[in-house]
Amino acid sequence: MKKHISLTLTLALCLGLTAGCSAKTAAPAASEAQTAAPAASEAQTSAPAASEATTAENTAAGPKTIESLKIAFSPYADSDTITTATEPLENLLKETLLTKGYDVQDVDMTVGTSYTAVGQALSAGSADIGFISGGNYVLFSEDCDVLLTALRYAINKDSENPADWNDGTIEENTKDMSTYYRSILLAGPSEKGQALIKKVNAGEELTWDDLNDATWAVMGPTSASGYIYPCLWLKERYGKGINDLQNVVQSDSYTTSLARLASGQADIMVSYGHIRTKYAPDWKEKFGGTDEMVNQTGVIGVTEGIYNDMIAYSKTSELMQDEEFRKALGDSFIEIAGTEEGKEIISVFSQVGYEWGDDANYDGERAAQELLKSMEK
């Protein structure tokens, strides 16, 4: 079953009302994640699992019936795209959990109207698990916890120098898995966007006026790559943040930002670093570009590393109080992600697998958000 989560609360988010703070101050934890975070590790298959004894016990006594498992997806792409891509997940989860002694009657999958809406659903217990960003997790971590951390294929460009990304090729996935990624400032085909790209490629420093004169497309203030880390990037270099820019429009998804960039409604968008890897084939047909994406866009800023998104579970959900079920559910996602059909499903989130999560891995995100909050004082 699929529907949309409505954002019914207005959050006075300190993140959205303030500028960022120094990325260098927040960076150590993020940087440690880059160097210390495992790639595809043994944790993917050997970390906490539903015990064989529990599975055997459930099977012997007959599977335990679960009336409903409620899953909320953050709007990584438009709702229709996510809904279509994740449709097979319902049966896969039912089948896999049944082998572990749980007979799930209904898997209720929804796509949030915003990142914040999914955090609110986890907080309220109206979603049992959610696919969310690290930034969103930190905001709502009193009411939810990490189940699994997502793995992504690393891309072949990882430099903090934006000019290194503008070599005339689109970023490509490597065979290596990574637990972190970067946020980029991507300029588009507008006159202003092209001027910014030209200046960066010439080795010139962008000024605050250069950026403030541009129109920006950003995500909501709980998005790590779509708001928080770009905000920190601005603060480090200019002492200002997204809230100080005079022309900012908030998008409901990255695909909306891409459409605005392609049409010239926005000169700059902020997003995860592999955005062109994912959407270059659709640039002209879906978003309205007039040339290949590599010819019309360029990176003008690159942030520190950001720990990957996750599958979080609600602490207020009665179902998720069952530790053995949590273990079985985590095992199921890891197993499904290891199949060809599973990989196809989670590719809509730019994810390729999962490993067992650890709350401490998101301490870098907490530090970043604390620095942002301090700017209010």
Side-chain angles (χ1 to χ4, degrees):
M1 180 189 300
K2 300 187 180 179
K3 58 195 174 206
H4 297 289
I5 298 174
S6 296
L7 180 57
T8 58
L9 302 177
T10 303
L11 297 182
L13 292 173
C14 57
L15 296 179
L17 299 176
T18 181
C21 223
S22 170
K24 286 186 177 177
T25 308
S31 297
E32 287 172 15
Q34 298 173 43
T35 55
S41 67
E42 294 179 1
Q44 297 174 58
T45 53
S46 61
S51 68
E52 292 182 7
T54 301
T55 301
E57 182 180 326
N58 282 353
T59 303
K64 182 177 181 180
T65 298
I66 305 295
E67 294 296 334
S68 177
L69 172 64
K70 299 180 290 295
I71 304 175
F73 301 115
S74 293
Y76 298 102
D78 64 87
S79 178
D80 289 343
T81 298
I82 294 177
T83 297
T84 300
T86 57
E87 185 173 358
L89 182 60
E90 179 173 357
N91 286 334
L92 284 175
L93 271 175
K94 287 181 177 180
E95 292 167 3
T96 309
L97 282 167
L98 189 59
T99 67
K100 302 182 185 306
Y102 295 93
D103 183 7
V104 179
Q105 301 296 300
D106 180 48
V107 178
D108 183 0
M109 297 186 290
T110 61
V111 182
T113 56
S114 69
Y115 283 75
T116 303
V118 177
Q120 289 176 328
L122 289 169
S123 182
S126 56
D128 299 309
I129 61 172
F131 286 59
I132 62 174
S133 68
N136 208 16
Y137 168 68
V138 169
L139 281 179
F140 293 96
S141 59
E142 286 189 5
D143 297 318
C144 63
D145 205 346
V146 186
L147 183 66
L148 302 172
T149 289
L151 296 170
R152 304 175 186 269
Y153 285 123
I155 58 175
N156 61 345
K157 297 175 186 176
D158 197 40
S159 171
E160 290 189 34
N161 177 8
D164 292 341
W165 295 59
N166 301 329
D167 60 0
T169 66
I170 291 292
E171 295 73 45
E172 295 180 355
N173 289 325
T174 69
K175 293 181 179 180
D176 297 325
M177 290 188 185
S178 175
T179 53
Y180 80 95
Y181 63 105
R182 297 184 187 276
S183 173
I184 59 171
L185 281 62
L186 187 68
S190 67
E191 183 178 352
K192 181 65 179 177
Q194 291 297 299
L196 294 172
I197 296 169
K198 183 177 181 180
K199 192 169 184 178
V200 164
N201 289 344
E204 300 176 37
E205 292 290 332
L206 298 178
T207 67
W208 173 255
D209 286 341
D210 288 331
L211 298 173
N212 196 34
D213 287 343
T215 298
W216 291 58
V218 306
M219 297 296 290
T222 61
S223 171
S225 60
Y227 194 98
I228 296 171
Y229 278 79
C231 198
L232 293 172
W233 184 91
L234 288 169
K235 181 58 186 176
E236 178 188 37
R237 289 157 179 78
Y238 308 103
K240 301 178 185 291
I242 287 175
N243 195 53
D244 295 303
L245 294 165
Q246 62 182 4
N247 300 306
V248 176
V249 59
Q250 184 174 314
S251 299
D252 59 356
S253 70
Y254 287 114
T255 51
T256 299
S257 288
L258 280 169
R260 287 173 172 156
L261 194 72
S263 67
Q265 294 177 42
D267 304 305
I268 301 168
M269 69 171 286
V270 293
S271 75
Y272 47 84
H274 49 285
I275 188 82
R276 297 195 296 184
T277 308
K278 185 173 182 179
Y279 289 112
D282 300 322
W283 177 251
K284 291 195 291 184
E285 182 176 345
K286 183 172 182 177
F287 301 111
T290 58
D291 195 358
E292 297 302 321
M293 192 175 188
V294 69
N295 298 327
Q296 291 198 289
T297 63
V299 177
I300 61 171
V302 184
T303 74
E304 298 279 352
I306 308 167
Y307 216 81
N308 279 353
D309 293 358
M310 70 181 71
I311 300 176
Y313 69 89
S314 171
K315 294 178 184 177
T316 59
S317 158
E318 183 177 351
L319 172 61
M320 300 312 293
Q321 302 304 308
D322 185 339
E323 182 180 1
E324 295 297 343
F325 178 72
R326 292 202 307 268
K327 292 176 181 178
L329 184 60
D331 271 338
S332 295
F333 272 109
I334 290 172
E335 289 176 20
I336 289 169
T339 68
E340 289 305 312
E341 188 174 8
K343 290 182 186 300
E344 180 67 22
I345 293 169
I346 66 175
S347 67
V348 73
F349 309 123
S350 298
Q351 298 170 1
V352 296
Y354 301 102
E355 66 179 28
W356 291 95
D358 185 343
D359 174 80
N361 288 336
Y362 296 89
D363 285 346
E365 194 70 45
R366 289 187 174 90
Q369 293 196 21
E370 285 302 317
L371 289 169
L372 286 171
K373 288 180 186 178
S374 71
M375 293 302 298
E376 281 190 328
K377 301 175 182 179

